[in-house]
Amino acid sequence: MLLRRPFLAALAIFALAGSLMAGELPDIKGRKVIVVTENAYPPLQFVDPKSGQAIGWEYDAMNEIAKRLNFKLEYQNTSWDAMIQAVADGQYNIGMTGITIKEERKQQVDFSDPYMRSQQLMLVRGDEKRFTDAASFKAFDKGLIAAQPGTSPFYTAVYEVLDGNEQNPRIKLFETFGATVQALKTGDVDLVLSDSTAAKGYVDASGGSLKIIGQPLGTEDFGFIFTKGSDLVAPVNAAIAALKADGTLEKLNRKWFVDYKMGE
């Protein structure tokens, strides 16, 4: 955000350079690596409502990468709007929260190779009948859309759904993705754009109170971020390639996008 479910057709883990076997991977020799995330993007990373533990696809992938490269993980949390700059400043070694690879972001941080591809979908309340796609939402001039500033959904809302005005009053800004979904549920806004990974998780957990409408609004590739010039980029890329080659990423896709059910 594999081809055995309609949702998963929108998400493709694709071939990465260098199909290295685990024994050929670099050895980081037990070094501590601080990884920061937001814990607000199910099923990539989130706090399990039952156990209170931080879990998700990205946690499983990063834990496996650390195991294969022999480094010691320390997880920390920060908000999305602070994350990229904090990693750029060297406060953390790696950032992960479904971060779309963008050329402008490459001016601040280095990216890993893509580990996932997803599409942006329109998330609405389950009883929504006033609009059915991006065009009819734009025409529904009372409709409000929630977004986090500086994110891919924000820019898609501005330039692909609305009129290209980043100050458009129909866009209501929130600090976290979870807050946008809560605003949707309570009727404060009418639409949230989400990549397919998060959208599927929220719909599955909603008991019919949320649904996905319209066609996908484009694709985005996700990558881990690093401080510019980090010596971790090449080893992590090698590990991603190995996880792809031996089927580990496919197993994580099945675990989190097929078998896992939010709230159960």
Side-chain angles (χ1 to χ4, degrees):
M1 90 144 64
L2 227 53
L3 296 179
R4 286 189 285 270
R5 297 286 181 93
F7 159 70
L8 296 175
L11 183 155
I13 299 297
F14 47 96
L16 301 168
S19 57
L20 299 178
M21 298 302 291
E24 300 172 332
L25 293 176
D27 185 349
I28 308 299
K29 302 186 183 300
R31 169 173 149 198
K32 183 173 78 170
V33 174
I34 301 174
V35 177
V36 66
T37 188
E38 188 183 17
N39 279 345
Y41 211 177
L44 292 185
Q45 23 69 29
F46 61 104
V47 175
D48 180 23
K50 288 189 174 181
S51 69
Q53 298 298 309
I55 59 174
W57 192 102
E58 286 183 326
Y59 276 109
D60 284 359
M62 185 57 66
N63 290 341
E64 186 64 24
I65 289 170
K67 177 182 175 182
R68 297 194 187 197
L69 295 179
N70 186 26
F71 61 77
K72 181 180 179 181
L73 278 170
E74 177 182 324
Y75 287 112
Q76 295 190 21
N77 297 104
T78 192
S79 64
W80 159 253
D81 58 359
M83 184 178 296
I84 293 178
Q85 189 60 54
V87 173
D89 291 342
Q91 296 179 41
Y92 311 104
N93 303 117
I94 300 175
M96 65 176 200
T97 184
I99 303 172
T100 304
I101 299 173
K102 290 182 173 291
E103 288 302 317
E104 59 267 29
R105 291 175 181 166
K106 290 180 181 180
Q107 304 302 311
Q108 294 178 271
V109 293
D110 285 341
F111 275 92
S112 71
D113 289 336
Y115 58 81
M116 184 178 293
R117 174 168 290 170
S118 189
Q119 294 178 305
Q120 289 189 50
L121 303 178
M122 298 178 67
L123 188 64
V124 299
R125 288 184 294 278
D127 60 356
E128 182 59 72
K129 297 179 181 179
R130 298 167 298 175
F131 54 91
T132 58
D133 55 18
S136 55
F137 176 80
K138 182 178 181 180
F140 176 55
D141 59 10
K142 293 181 180 179
L144 301 178
I145 184 168
Q148 292 171 272
T151 62
S152 295
F154 171 80
Y155 291 112
T156 299
V158 171
Y159 295 104
E160 294 189 38
V161 177
L162 297 176
D163 58 2
N165 175 14
E166 295 186 12
Q167 307 302 317
N168 191 313
R170 292 181 62 184
I171 302 175
K172 301 301 179 183
L173 300 179
F174 294 83
E175 290 187 3
T176 68
F177 179 73
T180 69
V181 177
Q182 186 58 34
L184 176 63
K185 290 179 177 179
T186 59
D188 294 328
V189 299
D190 306 293
L191 172 65
V192 169
L193 296 182
S194 167
D195 81 83
S196 49
T197 59
K200 177 64 162 54
Y202 275 101
V203 169
D204 284 351
S206 73
S209 65
L210 297 174
K211 66 181 180 181
I212 294 166
I213 63 169
Q215 296 297 313
L217 296 174
T219 62
E220 50 189 7
D221 292 334
F222 294 159
F224 302 119
I225 61 171
F226 307 78
T227 305
K228 294 287 286 184
S230 172
D231 62 355
L232 292 170
V233 177
V236 168
N237 283 343
I240 291 172
L243 295 180
K244 167 66 173 80
D246 67 13
T248 299
L249 295 189
E250 175 65 26
K251 291 177 181 177
L252 293 185
N253 292 335
R254 171 158 289 280
K255 174 181 177 180
W256 290 107
F257 300 121
V258 178
D259 297 333
Y260 183 79
K261 301 292 186 282
M262 289 284 292
E264 295 183 7

